[in-house]
């Protein structure tokens, strides 16, 4: 099956429309007035029959089944890896392009992994599936790309402060509830995370791998190399969950291959698409996760020279990881599909 | 004035006995049954007259004045830089050794900066003042020393998750109160920090310097070089405040000058004084700040190879920064003074 160019008003489907990312996708489709002739909202049987209003139109949620995709041009999948895997062949047979938010296909050779500000041209190598990178990877890559264009990167060390919402809506609720129980001196209920998250930091996101790293750390390393087409780039990643509701933060140390002036670095970041510089120490101005909810851009502050290497900088990077780190990035991928000629 | 060896039951004074660190010092003196013939508790006029029971003895808090130090052998200062600076010459004249928790003298050439597990021998170069390092530095150094002994360090990148208590007892209370107000939907009061700390991360600790780094980051870099006697060691530091009540956490990437086996690294850390390894990914075992309150040791987990350098590891480091990061370290310095022969 080959894939035709998308019509300018495609029929689109959203699989997982009631989850944290699915709900955000609906908001983003509205905000950006994404063009479609029809929007199908798909979920599990539990949510079928609910009505969600999108762009003023009340749409009934359908239980997802293979026939849901009849006549569909483009499907956003935000229903977890298992669903993406089980619908892959069905969508292929029906000629439906899948933009997948799960990690199921990200490292497949024939699946482009896209951050629209970074590698939009890779979209057109797709064989039916286009993957949305991991949230922590997306916000880092928006910043790394202009730096890599300025001067090849030698090594990147990233350390994350990830919000509860990265684990879904119930995890955000657990942070609320646990925090209130903690303040009330009650026993805490731990379900969404491996440990208490209220007033704590958990140095563990996703499963552990044999080398002692977590899969989240592995994703940040391997996805970065794939997106930048730099299989030999050196990346070290340390991930932790913090008691923040929404928006991930990252400290990133970048080492360059060659000399580069600090002014050029500032300039490259300030001019780059998708970035807002919020960086004025004299006025205590720097981005923080409590104030970036619902924002499209990656916010950067605390930019400074890293004197521990011959040529390098470090900076602080904050973005709404449900929005830019998932929903918005997926919709931007669809916009690339619509905009570019095949 | 020269300083005599401490008597085995010295007269000691504690300046700033009612602050977060001062109160912890009293606990540590009790826990370790630190020997003294007399303990003088000193504070500002506001606290004078209060009674604090130490080792079963009710001691009245005195308003600190120069005469408070008559007959004193050893004074712990935990009353802030200004007090340490203003009492420096008074103590020197009276031959009182000062163990100072402030940053006032740490980088002075004639003031040893001591982590007892790391450089106890430096204590005896003192000229009357011995400095307690910054809390974040102390817990990092306990881990770096055995690694540096195993193989010279080439570069260290540290990124911190620092608790509210690092800014004192009122800051802890502010985190409590702000969190409750946030949950209640009330307006938040910001006093102790530059911004909201509840459900947020603030990438700013201590004042900003001209190069865009913070003084906290500068301290971690410069104090590390001084304590290890390695003025050319490369260190990069990124510091942030997280909504945790007590105990700092750090991700640390260490690059070695030469090849070293991972087993040797594990072994060196496990055998080192002051460290407890809590590192078993199969059982989700790693240290976390919510569970290290009141502990003496530095807890290490998530130890793994750093494949982004020829020879290196990364790990996660958690310690009670009021205890090991301040009060305990100061008392341990006094124990060194008592134990070693001049």
């Amino acid at each position: 099956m080959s894939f035709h160019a998308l019509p300018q008003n495609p029929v689109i489907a959203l699989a997982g429309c009631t989850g944290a990312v699915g709900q955000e996708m609906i908001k983003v489709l509205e905000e950006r007035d994404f063009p479609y002739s029809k929007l199908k909202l798909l979920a599990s049987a539990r949510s079928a029959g609910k009505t969600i209003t999108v762009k003023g139109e009340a749409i009934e949620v359908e239980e997802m089944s293979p026939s849901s995709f009849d006549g569909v041009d483009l499907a956003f999948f935000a229903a977890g890896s298992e669903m993406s895997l089980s619908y892959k062949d069905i969508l292929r047979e029906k000629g439906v392009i899948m933009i997948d938010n799960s990690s199921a296909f990200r490292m497949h050779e024939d699946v482009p992994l896209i951050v629209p500000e970074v590698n939009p041209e890779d979209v057109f190598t797709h064989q039916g599936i286009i993957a949305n990178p991991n949230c922590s990877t997306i916000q880092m890559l928006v910043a790394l790309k202009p730096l890599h264009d300025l001067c090849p990167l030698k090594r990147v060390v990233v350390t994350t402060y990830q919000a509860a919402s990265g684990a879904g809506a119930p995890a955000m609720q657990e942070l609320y509830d646990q925090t209130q129980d903690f303040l009330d001196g009650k026993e805490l209920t731990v379900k969404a995370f491996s440990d208490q998250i209220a007033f704590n930091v958990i140095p563990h996101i996703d499963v552990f791998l044999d080398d002692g790293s977590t899969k989240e750390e592995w994703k940040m390393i391997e996805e970065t190399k794939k997106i930048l087409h730099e299989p030999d780039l050196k990346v070290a990643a340390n991930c932790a969950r913090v008691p923040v509701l929404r928006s991930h933060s990252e400290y990133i140390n970048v080492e360059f291959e060659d000399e580069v002036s600090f002014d050029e670095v500032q300039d490259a970041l300030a001019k780059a698409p998708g970035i807002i510089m919020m960086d004025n120490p004299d006025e205590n101005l720097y981005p923080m996760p409590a104030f970036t909810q619902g924002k499209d851009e990656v916010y950067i502050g605390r930019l400074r020279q890293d004197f521990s290497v011959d040529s390098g900088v470090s900076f602080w990077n904050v973005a709404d990881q449900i929005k830019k780190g998932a929903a918005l990035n997926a919709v931007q991928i669809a916009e690339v599909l619509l905009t570019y000629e095949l």
Side-chain angles (χ1 to χ4, degrees), chain A:
Chain A
M1 178 83 213
S2 71
F3 293 88
H4 53 77
L6 267 192
Q8 286 301 309
N9 279 295
V11 175
I12 62 178
L14 171 47
C17 65
T18 56
V21 173
Q23 291 189 316
E24 192 68 25
M25 276 192 182
I26 292 172
K27 277 194 220 162
V28 172
L29 291 171
E30 285 186 315
E31 273 179 23
R32 300 176 79 86
D33 197 15
F34 186 89
Y36 55 77
S37 58
K38 187 175 182 186
L39 171 63
K40 303 183 81 170
L41 299 179
L42 310 175
S44 65
R46 203 159 29 104
S47 300
K50 281 186 189 168
T51 294
I52 298 176
T53 300
V54 189
K55 295 191 193 181
E57 179 196 2
I59 303 178
E60 194 178 308
V61 176
E62 284 178 45
E63 181 179 353
M64 183 157 76
S65 74
S67 65
S68 308
F69 296 95
D70 292 345
V72 168
D73 298 300
L74 175 70
F76 294 104
F77 263 70
S81 289
E82 275 182 49
M83 286 310 243
S84 299
L85 284 163
S86 66
Y87 274 87
K88 169 180 165 263
D89 292 334
I90 294 160
L91 266 66
R92 177 178 294 265
E93 273 168 34
K94 295 180 193 279
V96 183
I97 297 173
M98 176 196 274
I99 297 179
D100 183 34
N101 192 56
S102 85
S103 65
F105 310 114
R106 286 181 193 151
M107 296 310 295
H108 286 210
E109 255 185 45
D110 60 354
V111 174
L113 185 64
I114 304 291
V115 182
E117 292 86 347
V118 177
N119 60 337
E121 63 285 357
D122 290 343
V123 162
F124 298 100
T125 64
H126 82 83
Q127 305 294 312
I129 303 172
I130 302 164
N132 219 22
N134 178 47
C135 49
S136 315
T137 310
I138 291 175
Q139 74 185 70
M140 175 165 73
L141 265 288
V142 169
L144 291 186
K145 180 58 161 59
L147 300 180
H148 190 54
D149 286 346
L150 179 67
C151 180
L153 306 181
K154 187 173 177 182
R155 182 179 175 222
V156 175
V157 181
V158 56
T159 301
T160 69
Y161 302 68
Q162 295 182 230
S165 53
M172 281 177 83
Q173 191 58 48
E174 182 158 320
L175 172 55
Y176 266 115
D177 296 344
Q178 252 187 24
T179 303
Q180 188 60 66
D181 286 347
F182 185 97
L183 293 174
D184 293 343
K186 290 187 190 157
E187 212 177 315
L188 307 185
T189 306
V190 172
K191 277 170 78 178
F193 301 108
S194 53
D195 288 279
Q196 168 190 336
I197 183 64
F199 299 105
N200 196 20
V201 181
I202 307 175
H204 171 194
I205 298 179
D206 210 331
V207 297
F208 279 107
L209 306 180
D210 286 344
D211 64 4
S213 67
T214 59
K215 198 168 172 197
E216 182 80 0
E217 290 157 354
W218 177 87
K219 285 175 190 169
M220 291 195 78
I221 296 169
E222 296 306 321
E223 293 181 14
T224 296
K225 295 182 196 177
K226 176 168 176 171
I227 295 166
L228 290 178
H229 301 284
E230 294 288 359
D232 298 325
L233 180 65
K234 304 299 182 194
V235 184
N238 304 302
C239 295
R241 187 80 67 190
V242 292
V244 162
L245 288 160
R246 193 167 156 164
S247 283
H248 289 349
S249 309
E250 302 172 343
Y251 265 127
I252 303 176
N253 286 68
V254 165
E255 185 179 358
F256 295 108
E257 284 284 1
D258 299 304
E259 237 175 87
V260 53
S261 82
F262 186 68
D263 285 351
E264 284 177 303
V265 171
Q266 276 186 310
D267 211 44
L269 287 172
K271 283 182 183 159
I275 290 177
I276 291 184
M277 293 302 291
M278 186 182 267
D279 192 9
N280 188 347
D282 291 342
E283 295 180 0
N284 285 344
L285 192 70
Y286 30 73
M288 290 179 289
F291 307 110
T292 51
Q293 178 161 343
K295 305 289 188 194
D296 285 358
E297 294 84 2
V298 173
Y299 284 72
I300 292 180
R302 300 288 335 270
L303 178 65
R304 59 202 194 279
Q305 230 179 305
D306 178 350
F307 296 103
S308 72
V309 289
D310 289 338
S311 176
V313 294
S314 82
F315 56 93
W316 173 250
N317 172 315
V318 184
D320 182 332
Q321 94 288 353
I322 300 185
K323 200 163 192 192
K324 179 54 190 165
L328 171 62
N329 198 75
V331 174
Q332 286 175 306
I333 291 173
E335 288 173 346
V336 175
L337 276 172
L338 281 179
T339 310
Y340 281 61
E341 303 268 331
L342 269 185

